[in-house]
C-alpha cells in the first residue's frame, strides 16, 4: 500500500474534492477563501498540478477549464498518514499512540463509551469500527 502524505494546503484541497467529488480551480479557491490563510488562485492551480503528479487527483477538460477529481479516498490518506505518524513518533507502537491520545486529550464520557464499543467490536472480529 502506498502512503500518501499531504501537507496542510494539499489536505484542505483534497477535502474540497472529496466533499464535492469534482471542482475547478476557481471552485476550490472559493471553498478555501474563508480560511485563515487566503491563497492566490494561481497557488491553488499550481498545487493541484503538483497533486496530480503525485497521483492524488486527476482532471478532465470542460471547455477551457480543468475539472479536478480525487483519485484516492479520504480513508486511504488517513490510513497512510496515521501509519506514518505512528511509525515516526511511536516507533510503530499502536498501543503507545492510543495511550498518548487517551492520556493527553480531553475525552468526555460519550467518547469513552464509543471507544469501548469500538474495542468490543474489534475483539469480536469486526474490522470496521464505524
Amino acid at each position: 500500500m502506498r502512503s500518501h502524505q499531504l501537507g496542510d494546503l494539499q489536505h484542505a484541497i483534497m477535502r474540497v474534492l472529496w466533499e464535492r467529488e469534482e471542482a475547478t480551480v476557481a471552485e476550490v479557491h472559493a471553498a478555501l477563501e474563508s480560511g485563515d490563510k487566503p491563497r492566490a488562485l494561481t497557488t491553488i492551480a499550481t498545487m493541484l498540478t503538483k497533486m496530480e503528479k503525485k497521483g492524488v487527483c486527476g482532471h478532465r477538460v470542460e471547455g477551457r477549464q480543468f475539472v479536478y477529481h480525487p483519485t484516492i479516498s479520504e480513508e486511504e490518506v488517513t490510513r497512510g498518514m496515521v501509519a506514518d505518524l505512528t511509525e515516526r513518533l511511536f516507533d510503530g507502537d499502536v498501543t503507545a499512540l492510543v495511550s498518548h491520545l487517551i492520556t493527553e486529550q480531553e475525552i468526555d464520557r460519550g467518547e469513552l463509551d464509543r471507544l469501548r464499543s469500538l474495542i468490543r467490536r474489534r475483539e469480536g472480529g469486526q474490522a470496521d469500527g464505524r
Side-chain angles (χ1 to χ4, degrees), residues 8-39:
D8 291 343
L9 178 56
Q10 292 174 335
H11 196 254
I13 290 169
M14 287 303 294
R15 283 183 178 260
V16 173
L17 295 179
W18 289 321
E19 181 181 303
R20 296 178 182 216
E21 296 183 7
E22 63 177 20
T24 64
V25 172
E27 290 168 338
V28 171
H29 181 259
L32 298 178
E33 215 170 23
S34 63
D36 57 342
K37 286 184 172 180
R39 308 279 185 178

